[in-house]
Amino acid sequence: MKTQGSEIPLKAYLYLLLGVFCIAWSAIFVKMADAPALTSGFYRYFFCFLGLLPIWLFKGIKIPDGKTSLLIIIAGFLFVADMSLWNLSILRTSASVSTLLANNASVFVGLGTLIFFKQKLPKIYWIGLSVAMVGVFLVAGKDILQNSSVGFGHLMAISAAIFYAGYMLITQRIRGKVDTVNFMAWSLLACLFFSLLTCWQQDLEMIHFNQKTWIAFVGSGIICHLAGWLCINYALGFIPAAIVSPTLLIQPVLTSVISFFLLREVLRTEQIIGGMIVLFGIYLVNKKS
């Protein structure tokens, strides 16, 4: 673990960058899968859990107390809502724009701490919030006003960020009581339950897919969810969150580059400018810590 005055090992930065690179593929795999968006979400949790299970058994299964278990279940529900809305938005708009808008979660986390925890927010947060909202309008405003289908996809991505902020706020409250692996495993079980229930209620296809789709499912679960977040959680043991949070802003940039080469997605000029403004606004929000 990091200690005050200690030098951060190079390995921690390499793990952080590897983690960001892994999660940058999230929207790409959803686009590649020839499957309903909610089904893609279910298999992301499923294959991640299969990959995590040996690690969980090795580390030791620990059953949290009743209150913590309830909060983990709520966190799982919020994460499924976030991922479902985000996956649906990806199929309506571009992978890069959807990822960019969903990265506004840290902005909503700040608002959540103000509303629910009565935590006073510094002036830099409000400046960052204002800057980010200007950028969001530039990225999504034209489509929301002129293209109802794509615009609705943008709104889904923004809504996903709100649910993910709720997930992060709950996670922040209980992570001191549960270690990383156990929290991840128990929350994945909650995610699997809510996701399967949603797919069953919607009567979605769950089995008959082509090889490319199954590869996308496995990649999403193992590369993005398991490897990505294990690397980032490892880095957080050495690198301050104040450095990690802004570094995660590389994700939508990497997603845009990957989607340009693999999916031939091109951003409009105002979306590129707006995206840069959004990232700068989120950076300012994260400077509060």
Side-chain angles (χ1 to χ4, degrees):
M1 294 293 289
K2 59 182 179 287
T3 57
Q4 189 172 6
S6 63
E7 186 177 348
I8 298 172
L10 175 62
K11 184 168 72 170
Y13 287 109
L14 294 177
Y15 270 101
L16 175 59
L17 293 175
L18 177 60
V20 175
F21 178 76
C22 288
I23 64 176
W25 284 84
S26 298
I28 308 299
F29 284 129
V30 174
K31 281 279 193 181
M32 289 173 59
D34 185 16
L38 300 182
T39 303
S40 293
F42 169 79
Y43 280 111
R44 173 175 175 142
Y45 315 131
F46 178 77
F47 285 111
C48 179
F49 183 77
L50 287 185
L52 184 66
L53 186 57
I55 302 173
W56 192 23
L57 293 173
F58 176 77
K59 288 283 189 179
I61 299 174
K62 298 173 184 174
I63 301 175
D65 60 63
K67 182 179 178 181
T68 303
S69 297
L70 178 60
L71 288 174
I72 289 175
I73 292 171
I74 295 172
F77 171 78
L78 291 173
F79 192 85
V80 168
D82 154 55
M83 194 60 59
S84 297
L85 285 168
W86 186 40
N87 284 359
L88 287 167
S89 76
I90 290 167
L91 298 185
R92 285 177 174 266
T93 181
S94 69
S96 47
V97 169
S98 180
T99 303
L100 176 68
L101 295 176
N103 265 265
N104 278 282
S106 59
V107 174
F108 295 115
V109 167
L111 290 176
T113 59
L114 173 67
I115 296 170
F116 298 110
F117 304 144
K118 310 302 180 185
Q119 180 179 325
K120 187 177 179 181
L121 299 173
K123 198 174 294 183
I124 190 67
Y125 170 85
W126 297 107
I127 296 172
L129 173 62
S130 302
V131 170
M133 290 303 101
V134 170
V136 166
F137 179 77
L138 284 174
V139 171
K142 182 177 179 180
D143 290 322
I144 291 174
L145 295 174
Q146 297 181 3
N147 189 327
S148 58
S149 178
V150 176
F152 191 54
H154 295 339
L155 292 175
M156 282 181 171
I158 296 170
S159 300
I162 296 173
F163 279 104
Y164 189 62
Y167 167 80
M168 287 197 290
L169 287 169
I170 291 180
T171 300
Q172 183 180 318
R173 291 289 297 270
I174 62 178
R175 273 294 286 111
K177 300 180 180 179
V178 188
D179 64 84
T180 300
V181 173
N182 270 276
F183 172 76
M184 197 169 179
W186 287 115
S187 61
L188 276 169
L189 285 175
C191 288
L192 281 167
F193 171 77
F194 288 118
S195 181
L196 184 60
L197 189 66
T198 304
C199 291
W200 173 77
Q201 192 275 330
Q202 295 288 323
D203 194 25
L204 299 177
E205 177 60 56
M206 299 294 292
I207 298 174
H208 301 102
F209 300 111
N210 57 39
Q211 185 181 32
K212 186 183 81 168
T213 298
W214 284 111
I215 291 173
F217 288 160
V218 174
S220 179
I222 299 298
I223 296 175
C224 302
H225 206 114
L226 180 63
W229 284 106
L230 282 180
C231 285
I232 292 169
N233 285 333
Y234 174 84
L236 280 167
F238 298 92
I239 306 172
I243 296 175
V244 173
S245 293
T247 305
L248 293 179
L249 299 180
I250 301 172
Q251 181 197 352
V253 178
L254 287 175
T255 299
S256 296
V257 173
I258 297 168
S259 63
F260 174 78
F261 287 103
L262 291 185
L263 305 176
R264 296 291 183 257
E265 290 184 353
V266 180
L267 296 175
R268 299 193 302 267
T269 302
E270 79 271 11
Q271 290 180 323
I272 295 173
I273 296 172
M276 294 170 65
I277 294 173
V278 169
L279 294 177
F280 181 63
I282 298 173
Y283 170 76
L284 291 177
V285 164
N286 279 285
K287 282 195 70 173
K288 71 183 187 296
S289 56

